[in-house]
């Protein structure tokens, strides 16, 4: 449920889907979720197989550190921190804007968006301070509402159009999928999966991690893929007829509300507006927990102060790390507010674009690490089987490299820029620097802090 929360289904439908249709390959956009889903499922097969031989809860750090090298593993950790901090900040900005807009329309009270974002960050901080079960209970309720709305909307759209005939070929024909800009469609689709691998972060808090973590990963990937595929196809059916795209409707900021009012009723549009806010809130709860657990894992390997690894005596949650994440979120939001950046066209676009680039880079490195580890270790390869340990992740590497190339080629479009200008260059450089920082720290540990480096090495090598 934490993974589905990070995917934020209604946010994908209201934001990523119309952008993918308009800027990508039109009515064929839903197929992009299938391509990305297959790539991530191949990745997950190898990642889960590796997880049974890696005892830590450091996610990308454990995988890349074990498969390739501990130095690169620490670099992956700092890149992951940057990636999740960026996507969380992006969602906080969008959430604050949505809350402010909703309050203004319902009560007439006009509040700055950043005030609403800071209040939301405070509530998330309280949930993050408690144990994961507390956050999960809140997230489960919010996600159930999101899924219910998506299902009702899909049923209403298909029920009206099925008697008239639905043109499946306009979406699912292979030749149509290659029209327009399929590369752009792919990067908008993969943005919906940021954080899907975070199931591994909860290994230390899972009762039977060797069973539940792989199961949760597979279920999450398949579920998000199917939900996004069917829901986005419903949007295509609603606004794209005979291959023609209703650009005016799709470009409207309240496209999903318009769809709800058209097919269900005006009251349903209000429900959607409210649940978009809860969708964003559930997403930041998820990313807050992921960030806190990454900080804790880095503290456990002496890459960050030991206090960050301290657990609450009663809640057993990384409370110090959670407080640091809350403080970091507050500082970022304050800086965005002081700088006067637009919360959507600038902050959300820039931060989420950098997050997608970092996320795909991490996936490529982690998938490659799986292949390298099992190629080196014949005993582990024999135990897991060649299909799970080499064939599936190797195919995943090829698909993910292609997606990374798309992410770099179409990065300006992802962050709302026309060309590779100062903004794009800065975001790419910051993403790369976040990886280099961890690598440099690991090298310094190896050269000067020998005891700390031995702990780092033992965490992934065993």
């Amino acid at each position: 449920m934490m993974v589905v929360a990070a995917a934020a289904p209604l946010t994908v439908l209201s934001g990523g889907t119309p952008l993918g249709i308009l800027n990508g390959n039109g009515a064929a956009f839903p197929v992009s979720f299938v391509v990305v889903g297959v790539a991530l499922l191949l990745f997950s097969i190898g990642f889960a197989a590796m997880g049974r031989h890696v005892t830590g809860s450091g996610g990308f750090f454990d995988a890349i550190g074990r498969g390739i090298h501990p130095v690169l593993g620490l670099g992956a950790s700092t890149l992951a921190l940057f990636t999740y901090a960026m996507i969380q900040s992006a969602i906080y900005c969008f959430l604050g804007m949505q809350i402010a807009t909703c309050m203004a329309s319902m009560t007439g009270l006009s509040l700055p968006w950043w005030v609403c974002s800071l209040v939301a960050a405070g509530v998330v901080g309280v949930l993050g301070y408690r144990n994961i079960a507390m956050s999960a209970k809140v997230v489960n309720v919010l996600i159930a509402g999101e899924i219910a709305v998506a299902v009702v909307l899909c049923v209403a759209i298909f029920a009206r159009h099925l008697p008239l005939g639905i043109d499946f070929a306009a979406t699912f024909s292979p030749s149509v999928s290659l029209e327009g800009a399929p590369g752009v469609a792919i990067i908008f689709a993969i943005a919906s999966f940021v954080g899907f691998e975070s199931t591994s972060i909860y290994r230390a808090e899972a009762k039977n991690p060797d069973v539940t973590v792989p199961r949760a990963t597979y279920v999450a990937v398949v579920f998000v893929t199917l939900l996004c595929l069917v829901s986005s196809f419903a949007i295509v059916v609603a606004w794209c007829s005979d291959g023609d795209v209703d650009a005016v409707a799709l470009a409207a900021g309240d496209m999903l509300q318009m769809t709800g009012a058209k097919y269900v009723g005006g009251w349903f549009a209000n429900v959607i507006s409210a649940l978009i806010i809860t969708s964003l809130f559930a997403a930041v709860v998820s990313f807050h927990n992921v960030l806190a657990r990454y900080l804790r894992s880095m503290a456990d390997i002496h890459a960050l102060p030991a206090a960050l690894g301290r657990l609450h005596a009663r809640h057993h949650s990384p409370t110090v790390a959670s407080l640091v994440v809350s403080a970091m979120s507050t500082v970022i939001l304050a800086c965005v507010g002081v700088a006067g950046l637009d919360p959507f066209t600038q902050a959300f676009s820039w931060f989420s674009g950098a997050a997608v680039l970092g996320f795909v880079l991490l996936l490529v490195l982690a998938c490659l690490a799986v292949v390298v580890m099992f190629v080196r270790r014949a005993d582990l390869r024999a135990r897991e089987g060649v299909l799970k340990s080499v064939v599936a992740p190797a195919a995943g590497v090829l698909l993910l490299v292609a997606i990374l190339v798309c992410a770099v080629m179409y990065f300006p479009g992802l962050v709302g820029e026309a060309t590779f200008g100062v903004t794009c260059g800065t975001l790419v450089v910051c993403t790369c620097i976040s990886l280099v920082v961890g690598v440099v720290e690991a090298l310094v540990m190896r050269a000067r802090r020998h005891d700390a480096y031995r702990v780092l090495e033992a965490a992934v090598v065993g």
Side-chain angles (χ1 to χ4, degrees):
M1 294 304 284
M2 284 293 174
V3 171
V4 177
L10 284 189
T11 306
V12 171
L13 282 181
S14 61
T17 295
L19 289 175
I21 294 172
L22 290 172
N23 301 324
N25 50 356
F29 173 68
V31 178
S32 304
F33 289 111
V34 178
V35 175
V36 172
V38 169
L40 297 186
L41 194 57
L42 291 170
F43 166 85
S44 299
I45 291 171
F47 196 60
M50 172 184 262
R52 285 187 279 272
H53 308 285
V54 177
T55 57
S57 300
F60 286 121
F61 162 71
D62 289 319
I64 297 170
R66 177 69 179 271
I68 301 178
H69 198 279
V71 170
L72 188 57
L74 189 57
S77 266
T78 53
L79 175 57
L81 283 173
F82 172 81
T83 296
Y84 291 123
M86 287 294 97
I87 193 64
Q88 185 191 45
S89 300
I91 297 172
Y92 267 132
C93 293
F94 192 28
L95 174 60
M97 185 190 77
Q98 290 287 341
I99 295 174
T101 302
C102 188
M103 288 186 64
S105 63
M106 294 178 63
T107 67
L109 180 62
S110 180
L111 288 175
W113 68 266
W114 53 268
V115 171
C116 299
S117 293
L118 289 173
V119 171
V123 177
V124 171
V126 172
L127 292 174
Y129 189 82
R130 304 291 297 271
N131 62 13
I132 193 63
M134 178 73 175
S135 295
K137 289 175 182 176
V138 174
V139 166
N140 287 348
V141 174
L142 300 181
I143 292 302
E146 276 193 78
I147 295 171
V149 165
V151 170
V152 169
L153 194 59
C154 289
V155 169
I157 292 172
F158 292 139
R160 184 177 299 185
H161 286 271
L162 272 174
L164 305 174
I166 295 177
D167 187 2
F168 290 92
T171 295
F172 298 106
S173 173
S175 58
V176 174
S177 299
L178 299 176
E179 294 178 357
V184 175
I186 290 292
I187 59 174
F188 275 111
I190 201 168
S192 309
F193 290 85
V194 174
F196 88 96
E197 84 305 326
S198 61
T199 49
S200 62
I201 297 296
Y202 301 105
R203 286 189 66 89
E205 296 163 87
K207 292 180 180 179
N208 189 6
D210 286 343
V211 174
T212 57
V213 169
R215 180 188 299 161
T217 307
Y218 297 147
V219 171
V221 171
V222 173
F223 182 79
V224 172
T225 299
L226 292 176
L227 183 63
C228 291
L229 170 65
V230 176
S231 301
S232 60
F233 181 55
I235 297 300
V236 166
V237 171
W239 298 110
C240 306
S241 60
D242 300 324
D244 294 327
V245 175
D246 189 336
V248 174
L250 290 169
D254 58 348
M255 180 277 300
L256 199 61
Q257 290 90 327
M258 289 169 55
T259 309
K262 178 181 177 181
Y263 287 92
V264 181
W267 65 271
F268 197 64
N270 295 329
V271 171
I272 290 174
S273 294
L275 285 177
I276 286 176
I277 291 175
T278 62
S279 169
L280 294 167
F281 182 80
V284 289
V285 169
S286 175
F287 286 119
H288 179 98
N289 282 309
V290 172
L291 277 166
R293 282 150 184 79
Y294 257 106
L295 289 176
R296 176 200 170 189
S297 295
M298 291 182 70
D300 288 343
I301 59 172
H302 297 187
L304 288 175
L308 291 172
R310 193 179 304 153
L311 299 179
H312 193 279
R314 182 159 57 92
H315 302 311
H316 305 292
S317 58
T319 49
V320 177
S322 179
L323 290 173
V324 169
V325 173
S326 295
M328 179 178 63
S329 301
T330 301
V331 170
I332 293 174
L333 289 171
C335 290
V336 173
V338 170
L341 298 179
D342 184 275
F344 184 69
T345 59
Q346 293 178 308
F348 179 80
S349 297
W350 297 351
F351 293 162
S352 59
V356 170
L357 183 62
F359 174 63
V360 180
L361 178 56
L362 284 168
L363 289 179
V364 170
L365 291 174
C367 206
L368 182 62
V370 172
V371 176
V372 171
M373 187 191 84
F374 283 113
V375 167
R376 287 175 177 171
R377 296 287 303 272
D379 56 329
L380 298 182
R381 187 170 67 249
R383 193 180 308 174
E384 295 294 337
V386 176
L387 184 63
K388 287 184 179 179
S389 61
V390 178
V391 177
V397 169
L398 296 177
L399 283 173
L400 289 169
V401 167
I403 293 173
L404 179 61
V405 171
C406 290
V408 174
M409 286 179 60
Y410 299 106
F411 189 68
L414 187 61
V415 299
E417 299 290 322
T419 58
F420 261 100
V422 175
T423 300
C424 286
T426 302
L427 292 172
V428 171
V429 168
C430 288
T431 303
C432 295
I433 287 176
S434 67
L435 175 67
V436 172
V437 165
V439 170
V440 170
E441 182 184 5
L443 291 174
V444 170
M445 290 170 68
R446 186 170 66 176
R448 298 184 178 181
R449 299 168 54 203
H450 304 293
D451 291 341
Y453 184 76
R454 279 194 287 270
V455 172
L456 167 69
E457 194 172 35
V460 293
V461 177

